[in-house]
Amino acid sequence: MRLRSIELNLSGAAAAADFLINIWGLAPAETGADGTRYLRGSGPFPYLVALTEADGPSIRCTTFVSDEANIAGIATRARAAGWPVQDTVSTDPGGGQGILVQLPEGEVFRLLHGVADAAPIEGRDLPVKLTHVVMNAKDAEATASAAEQVLGFRVSDRTKGMVFVRCNNSHHSVAFARAGHSSLNHIAFEMDDLDAVMRGIGRLRDSGLVPAWGPGRHGPGDNAFAYFVAPFGAVVEFSTAVEIVPDDYHVGAPEDWTWPKNRIDQWGISDKDVAALAAAERNFRYRPLAA
């Protein structure tokens, strides 16, 4: 299974698309009949972010691609667990069909098979793909356990702040933050390398935006990062080189991920604007599946 895209509703979709294309570095893919703006990276996915004009911010879904048999098994387990499940046919670029499934705290995952890839495009500062999406949870342990049991995901690491979960051999494609509420925490974009991350930071500084945290290097996943609060209210991250882990990867515990005093990542060179990040991490809530 692979994380493909995130689909957002928001007021001011045109301005958000302008930021993500002209400053953040995504490329326009196409505009749907309903005005939804699809933005892509350099890799083979037809788009990474969909922006639909709405009265306010919400998450339509987070999309993963897999094979038909795996998705059928997930649908069976989700229905047995009492989760809302809907069959769906995608009208987004790439097409495909599958299910929409709502997790216990309201997170909606869309699982598609039969999705068409797109030809990769050139651009050294284009994000390649989404590397992970982190979601705030009232009960991160229960949500991660549900993802393991029903979706077939696997916990990779636990820290004081998060439970990191993988759906393939990348250390994490999703994570659940121990936030006490349910919402989008942040969206992380995979860059080609560390230089591309640093050029991205410089490009945003040229536009008057400074990192809310970073540059730095995380412990779990070992990825370099830089976080920004986007003008449309979401937290977005430049990232690169998330660790590839074996099937028998040792699941880390919070005590395995501790830092010296006043340090919150491996490098310890950047401050963190906790207040700005915490406020932005509440902006995008989940839109429940229609009954």
Side-chain angles (χ1 to χ4, degrees):
M1 185 178 294
R2 296 176 294 163
L3 171 65
R4 187 195 74 175
S5 56
I6 188 166
E7 291 73 28
L8 301 176
N9 302 315
L10 71 167
S11 176
D18 181 72
F19 165 77
L20 287 171
I21 293 168
N22 294 312
I23 298 176
W24 189 255
L26 291 173
E30 61 181 81
T31 300
D34 64 349
T36 296
R37 292 164 168 83
Y38 297 96
L39 313 180
R40 65 166 297 175
S42 63
F45 289 131
Y47 74 95
L48 306 181
V49 179
L51 303 170
T52 301
E53 186 68 29
D55 291 338
S58 64
I59 309 165
R60 173 157 60 96
C61 56
T62 305
T63 299
F64 298 79
V65 295
S66 188
D67 60 74
E68 184 175 4
N70 186 41
I71 293 172
I74 291 170
T76 298
R77 294 192 297 273
R79 290 187 171 106
W83 295 9
V85 179
Q86 292 180 4
D87 294 330
T88 189
V89 176
S90 174
T91 58
D92 297 322
Q97 58 187 313
I99 60 171
L100 290 159
V101 58
Q102 183 174 303
L103 278 66
E105 290 198 17
E107 308 95 328
V108 175
F109 286 2
R110 182 172 58 164
L111 311 174
L112 298 177
H113 62 85
V115 175
D117 281 345
I121 58 177
E122 295 294 329
R124 72 173 190 163
D125 290 329
L126 278 171
V128 179
K129 62 180 181 179
L130 294 189
T131 182
H132 55 268
V133 174
V134 174
M135 300 162 188
N136 292 317
K138 297 175 185 175
D139 189 334
E141 287 291 346
T143 304
S145 178
E148 284 192 307
Q149 294 171 18
V150 176
L151 303 179
F153 291 6
R154 298 180 66 180
V155 170
S156 296
D157 273 300
R158 293 178 170 90
T159 66
K160 292 179 180 179
M162 290 189 184
V163 183
F164 295 84
V165 180
R166 66 186 187 272
C167 65
N168 50 48
N169 64 348
S170 180
H171 179 274
H172 58 284
S173 294
V174 296
F176 301 104
R178 307 178 195 275
H181 64 272
S182 301
S183 63
L184 174 65
N185 184 284
H186 70 269
I187 307 165
F189 295 84
E190 177 76 16
M191 305 301 285
D192 262 337
D193 53 26
L194 182 58
D195 277 354
V197 170
M198 300 304 286
R199 287 194 301 270
I201 295 171
R203 186 168 62 251
L204 267 73
R205 283 187 175 276
D206 289 344
S207 297
L209 296 173
V210 298
W213 185 22
R217 185 176 292 279
H218 287 309
D222 199 37
N223 50 305
F225 66 83
Y227 294 82
F228 292 82
V229 177
F232 60 90
V235 179
V236 287
E237 176 191 358
F238 288 127
S239 182
T240 194
V242 173
E243 184 180 6
I244 301 301
V245 300
D247 288 343
D248 61 353
Y249 178 80
H250 171 73
V251 179
E255 56 267 24
D256 296 319
W257 300 108
T258 60
W259 308 111
K261 186 178 180 180
N262 298 322
R263 180 175 292 197
I264 50 178
D265 71 285
Q266 292 191 53
W267 293 349
I269 61 173
S270 301
D271 293 329
K272 184 176 184 180
D273 190 339
V274 175
L277 290 169
E281 289 164 4
R282 289 179 174 269
N283 286 336
F284 283 82
R285 304 286 180 151
Y286 307 113
R287 188 181 70 172
L289 292 180

